[in-house]
Amino acid sequence: MTLIAMTEPSTDKPSGGSETLEAARREKLRKIRQLGIDPWGQRFDNHAPIGEIRAREGEIVVESAGDCATGRPPQAHGPEVRAAGRIVLQRKAGKLIFLDIRDWTGQIQLLIGKKQVGEENWALAQCFDLGDLIGVDGELSRTRTGELTIFARDLHFLSKSIETPPAKHKGLQDPELRQRMRYLDLIHSEGVLGRFLHRTKIVQSIRNTLAAERFVEVEGPTLHAIAGGAAARPFTTHHNALDIDLFLRIALELHLKRLLVGGIERVYELGRVYRNEGISPRHNPEFTMLEVYQAYGDYGTMMELTEKLIVEAIRATGQSLKLPWGESEMDFSTPFARKTYDELFLEHTGVAADDVPGVTQYAYDCGLDTAGKHIDVIKNEVFEAKVEDRLTGPVFVLDYPASICPLTKRKAGNPAIAERFELFIQGMEVANAYTELNDPDLQEELFSRQLEGLAAEDSMARMDHDFIRALRHGMPPAGGLGIGIDRLVMLLTDSPTIREVILFPLLRPEAEG
RNA sequence: GAGGCUGUAGCUCAGUCGGUAGAGCAACGGACUUUUAAUCCGUAGGUCUGGGGUUCGAGCCCCCACAGCCUCACCA
């Protein structure tokens, strides 16, 4: 170990303000160095997760109980343990110090007695602040009041914190600080770490389920010359050597379908897409999307897969199929409800979906602008305004008007209906799936028609000729599925906003100085 | 992009009618070998988000800017 005896910057101001809170910590850091100890720590092997240490409670042998009245300590012996963690609470009582340390598996109390640890360790313990990382060797036992405690025999200093942690019980409350300083939020806010670990379990479960179904994960390009596969504004960037403008991808679809043509019969990508749109409790400009394609399947195949993916993900988080959502409860027992678009339209508006004058009148009464719009577009605006919010689900909405689905195969015998479903839960679109369109001539025609309508508004949209060329080589009939992972995680972790399930959501940069 | 709400000590929050800026936690000094939101005694800590205005006087009223949250729009 190297002894470092450099002078820390100090301030002459009296104690209390933010600079002097730091100065007090730097003074302790200096004292730690004076003791010949590196305040930034060293490798620390063979410590057990605190959760595992707590699980060894049963190994404690009680020889005689303590007595609060006489102050006689209990005679109990437990296993020798080694732990590492962050100091989150500290109570000093004369020549005893009670500390609570926390790691990512749990929290446990430490008892440091002056006599028990010796002069050097005691001097080191005088330099502890809330937020410091320490290691401890000691005996796992219980205090007189029965609290599971590591009775310290030896202390190790692992890292100094020179910043003051937030209020010890309330933690960080300001939503802006919680997002900007997610590291503090993870340490000090109830349930935050667990929620993000659940997110990881959900994503792992999805990969496991797909692997068990023999799907192959691939990595498509995120830089696209043409941003296709969805109707959204892309972010633009530039490649210097080629001197071309590029777009960050807005969807995974068109490259995965090329791979379907290439013979990768069951293929998926789980990755980030970017849309240059507004921010809301349900939208972040970058979000995680799963897209799955299965040759020789259709949207019915994808419906079964969707149920399997979600049910397995719920199991992976250790929850039952009845999940809390705020004050209410959701039931993910399979099969999920299946209702057609037209059924739901009638149910929620009282107007039959094929009643053209009726739908138009209803839209007008809702204050929607109907002038010059295709009836299916009007119908869908009504559906989005009046039906979607009320779908608490989970419910599969089946069979959409074909004219609003440019990438979807039409129903055999009814070209006005597209074989598409969307899964709605709590008014949110969580999944979207098609029987994929594989007719290159029809695909080209639908793209052209779509581009006409968008020309002025969305000059980014361009015909992807290479995608059409790929289809011309023969794409198998297939089912395709997209799932918004962030929204699924919201639902499975009872999180009302997307920012609670994205570690670092987009924020405006902090002002300088 | 539009509207509403919010911004006070490191953190969490009070601040009355416009009249000298408050508390708890954290910090500093002291007491305490079984505490657990430890307790007790004492000390210190403020560009009231920033800028301008009204006023004898502004944390408070008005205007502008910045940031966050909510609703809407775009979108999944």
Side-chain angles (χ1 to χ4, degrees):
Chain A
M1 186 191 304
T2 35
L3 175 59
I4 309 148
M6 55 181 280
T7 333
E8 289 302 313
S10 63
T11 81
D12 296 319
K13 289 185 183 176
S15 59
S18 65
E19 303 95 17
T20 51
L21 290 174
E22 178 179 334
R25 284 166 178 262
R26 288 195 182 276
E27 174 61 18
K28 289 176 184 169
L29 186 143
R30 194 185 61 78
K31 285 180 182 163
I32 292 167
R33 282 186 172 139
Q34 267 181 359
L35 292 168
I37 295 168
D38 179 355
W40 303 109
Q42 302 290 336
R43 171 170 170 166
F44 189 63
D45 288 331
N46 301 322
H47 61 283
I50 288 171
E52 285 180 19
I53 290 173
R54 298 198 69 98
R56 298 182 69 183
E57 191 175 359
E59 297 176 37
I60 299 167
V61 178
V62 181
E63 285 153 12
S64 70
D67 188 335
C68 285
T70 64
R72 186 171 57 82
Q75 297 294 308
H77 291 289
E80 277 290 308
V81 295
R82 165 172 271 206
R86 190 181 295 274
I87 300 171
V88 292
L89 287 173
Q90 186 167 210
R91 299 173 290 282
K92 294 191 177 183
K95 297 187 177 61
L96 283 183
I97 301 172
F98 292 91
L99 292 177
D100 283 28
I101 63 167
R102 181 184 293 171
D103 73 5
W104 66 341
T105 67
Q107 187 169 323
I108 196 163
Q109 176 170 272
L110 257 55
L111 174 53
I112 302 169
K114 186 179 182 184
K115 231 180 241 175
Q116 290 81 349
V117 297
E119 289 295 336
E120 278 183 31
N121 278 322
W122 186 250
L124 175 61
Q126 303 314 302
C127 303
F128 288 172
D129 282 307
L130 293 179
D132 291 352
L133 295 165
I134 62 168
V136 61
D137 289 299
E139 181 186 348
L140 181 70
S141 188
R142 256 186 286 268
T143 59
R144 189 151 66 190
T145 51
E147 178 80 12
L148 191 64
T149 300
I150 299 173
F151 290 75
R153 191 172 35 72
D154 199 10
L155 298 171
H156 310 270
F157 202 81
L158 298 177
S159 197
K160 191 70 193 159
S161 168
I162 56 176
E163 292 279 356
T164 312
K168 57 189 179 187
H169 293 288
K170 290 203 162 187
L172 273 191
Q173 294 295 316
D174 183 338
E176 181 177 353
L177 291 183
R178 288 189 51 217
Q179 293 168 62
R180 288 197 195 280
M181 300 202 278
R182 186 66 91 187
Y183 39 92
L184 282 185
D185 194 35
L186 287 163
I187 298 166
H188 297 285
S189 302
E190 186 74 26
V192 172
L193 175 60
R195 187 182 308 128
F196 284 107
L197 294 179
H198 265 169
R199 179 179 176 130
T200 298
K201 284 181 184 170
I202 290 165
V203 170
Q204 269 172 356
S205 159
I206 287 170
R207 287 201 162 98
N208 292 342
T209 304
L210 288 167
E213 300 285 326
R214 304 197 311 283
F215 284 89
V216 171
E217 180 169 14
V218 297
E219 292 163 281
T222 56
L223 296 173
H224 287 189
I226 301 168
R233 284 189 171 73
F235 287 91
T236 58
T237 185
H238 186 82
H239 187 270
N240 291 338
L242 297 181
D243 191 23
I244 49 170
D245 287 330
L246 291 168
F247 305 102
L248 299 188
R249 67 182 174 186
I250 58 173
L252 314 174
E253 176 146 1
L254 301 186
H255 288 88
L256 291 175
K257 283 184 179 171
R258 284 172 169 94
L259 297 177
L260 222 42
V261 173
I264 306 182
E265 295 187 6
R266 296 188 179 202
V267 66
Y268 76 95
E269 180 163 6
L270 202 169
R272 209 68 63 84
V273 298
Y274 307 86
R275 298 190 181 176
N276 207 338
E277 306 284 354
I279 295 173
S280 87
R282 287 171 183 72
H283 299 84
N284 192 60
E286 54 178 313
F287 62 102
T288 303
M289 181 93 132
L290 168 71
E291 288 197 28
V292 186
Y293 294 87
Q294 179 175 347
Y296 313 117
D298 69 359
Y299 77 146
T301 324
M302 292 298 107
M303 227 176 297
E304 291 156 28
L305 181 62
T306 303
E307 284 175 339
K308 192 174 292 183
L309 287 167
I310 292 176
V311 166
E312 289 302 321
I314 292 170
R315 289 216 180 98
T317 63
Q319 302 182 90
S320 82
L321 294 183
K322 293 211 167 65
L323 295 185
W325 181 250
E327 299 299 304
S328 59
E329 190 182 68
M330 303 179 288
D331 186 352
F332 284 88
S333 303
T334 53
F336 301 163
R338 288 155 165 76
K339 292 198 170 178
T340 68
Y341 184 94
D342 286 0
E343 275 168 7
L344 287 165
F345 193 95
L346 177 62
E347 194 178 307
H348 287 89
T349 65
V351 180
D354 57 1
D355 175 3
V356 174
V359 170
T360 309
Q361 183 63 43
Y362 188 89
Y364 184 80
D365 293 345
C366 293
L368 296 172
D369 181 17
T370 59
K373 288 182 182 167
H374 188 282
I375 181 63
D376 286 346
V377 173
I378 295 170
K379 198 194 294 182
N380 201 48
E381 284 180 9
V382 171
F383 193 87
E384 286 174 359
K386 294 289 164 186
V387 184
E388 289 187 356
D389 286 354
R390 301 184 198 163
L391 299 177
T392 53
V395 57
F396 287 114
V397 180
L398 314 179
D399 296 345
Y400 278 67
S403 57
I404 60 168
C405 310
L407 293 157
T408 313
K409 187 173 274 192
R410 278 67 182 114
K411 229 175 172 50
N414 188 353
I417 299 292
E419 288 201 344
R420 171 186 187 181
F421 76 75
E422 294 193 334
L423 174 63
F424 278 90
I425 307 171
Q426 300 302 339
M428 275 193 291
E429 184 198 330
V430 174
N432 183 13
Y434 310 142
T435 301
E436 299 295 339
L437 180 62
N438 62 345
D439 172 344
D441 298 335
L442 180 55
Q443 181 67 85
E444 185 166 21
E445 188 191 324
L446 293 177
F447 271 167
S448 305
R449 213 181 291 161
Q450 193 187 18
L451 289 176
E452 281 168 28
L454 291 175
E457 232 175 73
D458 216 334
S459 54
M460 314 284 189
R462 275 162 55 201
M463 173 72 77
D464 192 335
H465 291 290
D466 177 70
F467 175 66
I468 300 294
R469 182 169 61 190
L471 293 189
R472 288 160 65 93
H473 284 86
M475 185 181 96
L481 166 68
I483 293 182
I485 297 298
D486 310 87
R487 288 181 175 181
L488 181 63
V489 174
M490 284 171 67
L491 290 162
L492 269 43
T493 57
D494 192 15
S495 304
T497 79
I498 203 166
R499 292 183 295 271
E500 296 291 341
V501 300
I502 293 178
L503 282 165
F504 299 101
L506 186 67
L507 290 173
R508 284 183 195 272
E510 255 175 305
E512 293 293 320

